[in-house]
Amino acid sequence: ALRSCLVRNQKLLHVYAGAGIVPGSEPSEEYAEISLKMQQFTQAFPVVDNVAELPLVRLKALKELPNMNTLWSTIIVEECVRNNVTNFVICAGSRSTPLVVAVARSPHTVAVVNHDERSGAYYALGWAKATGKPVGIIVTSGTAVANLVPAVVEAAQAQVPLLLFTADRPSELMDTGANQTIRQPGMFRDYVRWEKDMPTPATDYPLQALLGDIDLAIGHSLGRLSGSPGPVQLNFRFRENLAPDGGAVRGQPNSSSAWDPSYVDTAT
């Protein structure tokens, strides 16, 4: 298949494909092959007959996400992109799964995977220096966060914008001996321009407030409020399900990950 696209008026995307028909070709098989090869376009952009319907299509897609963690993380990454924050360093771990999945699924982000948080943080520091744009670094809970300290101090002193997305255990697991559970808020002390310990994703925290948190974090990292760019920490307390799964909550078969889709309307 020959795959290409044409963008008109920055709103309408035309996608083209062709197939080489030879003797013995089965039309259904050719169509299936074309569809497979076109997925980089068809999955990245919703198909609608009327461009004016795009916001409604996007709202519908958000309302169909399987759990609150996936919803919040998707919206967080989309808001970063809207603010021209598209570069991310991922130091993957279990607790940070929702954020990692959101970055990986976005067609507008560039992600680098680094399995060591200390070197990953320095990579993000250099990337932000080179581009002049904030770079997000995503880490899991516990000592992973502590490994960011050296690069955070350097970013603060050099006034380099970094967004520290630190995943954390929910409040009920604090001081219980749970694995990789430490006091992450306040860890960077005076070396961050702003920080917030976010609530566990739930419908009682309006999405408009979540969007405001992301906007404020990016503004602080760029020094728009203080005149001094630098690192910012957002600490996210995720409960199960961490993976983008619906149905029963992992480890709690009598609990459901279902949520009220009307919650998405609180973003407006």
Side-chain angles (χ1 to χ4, degrees), residues 99-147:
L99 291 168
V100 172
V101 169
V103 169
R105 286 180 168 179
S106 172
H108 307 295
T109 57
V110 178
V112 172
V113 177
N114 193 310
H115 297 292
D116 177 77
E117 290 84 9
R118 181 184 171 98
S119 59
Y122 275 108
Y123 190 103
L125 174 63
W127 200 357
K129 275 187 175 182
T131 61
K133 295 168 49 180
V135 172
I137 179 165
I138 299 172
V139 300
T140 192
S141 62
T143 54
V145 182
N147 276 294

Side-chain angles (χ1 to χ4, degrees), residues 168-180:
D168 203 352
R169 304 297 176 103
S171 299
E172 65 267 20
L173 292 182
M174 296 300 297
D175 301 317
T176 64
N179 186 41
Q180 291 292 354

Side-chain angles (χ1 to χ4, degrees), residues 33-226:
E33 182 180 355
I34 291 174
S35 298
L36 177 64
K37 292 179 178 179
M38 293 288 288
Q39 281 185 354
Q40 67 264 43
F41 295 130
T42 58
Q43 291 187 0
F45 301 95
V47 179
V48 295
D49 296 324
N50 184 349
V51 174
E53 296 176 0
L54 280 173
L56 296 178
V57 171
R58 188 62 192 131
L59 279 177
K60 182 175 183 294
L62 289 174
K63 291 180 178 182
E64 292 175 350
L65 292 174
N67 60 54
M68 288 294 298
N69 291 335
T70 305
L71 174 67
W72 268 40
S73 297
T74 300
I75 287 176
I76 289 164
V77 171
E78 287 189 358
E79 189 66 7
C80 284
V81 169
R82 278 192 286 270
N83 281 277
N84 201 30
V85 177
T86 57
N87 299 331
F88 293 84
V89 175
I90 294 173
C91 302
S94 176
R95 192 60 50 171
S96 60
T97 296
L99 291 168
V100 172
V101 169
V103 169
R105 286 180 168 179
S106 172
H108 307 295
T109 57
V110 178
V112 172
V113 177
N114 193 310
H115 297 292
D116 177 77
E117 290 84 9
R118 181 184 171 98
S119 59
Y122 275 108
Y123 190 103
L125 174 63
W127 200 357
K129 275 187 175 182
T131 61
K133 295 168 49 180
V135 172
I137 179 165
I138 299 172
V139 300
T140 192
S141 62
T143 54
V145 182
N147 276 294
L148 303 180
V149 170
V152 168
V153 173
E154 289 203 22
Q157 297 300 95
Q159 298 190 353
V160 178
L162 289 180
L163 295 171
L164 315 173
F165 295 114
T166 57
D168 203 352
R169 304 297 176 103
S171 299
E172 65 267 20
L173 292 182
M174 296 300 297
D175 301 317
T176 64
N179 186 41
Q180 291 292 354
T181 305
I182 62 175
R183 298 189 181 280
Q184 296 175 189
M187 179 178 291
F188 303 108
R189 302 178 67 84
D190 296 334
Y191 295 103
V192 288
R193 300 299 187 256
W194 184 69
E195 64 178 338
K196 183 164 184 176
D197 187 20
M198 301 294 294
T200 300
T203 56
D204 59 357
Y205 195 80
L207 284 179
Q208 191 174 45
L210 176 63
L211 294 171
D213 291 332
I214 303 305
D215 295 342
L216 185 58
I218 294 170
H220 275 295
S221 74
L222 291 168
R224 289 172 177 165
L225 286 83
S226 65

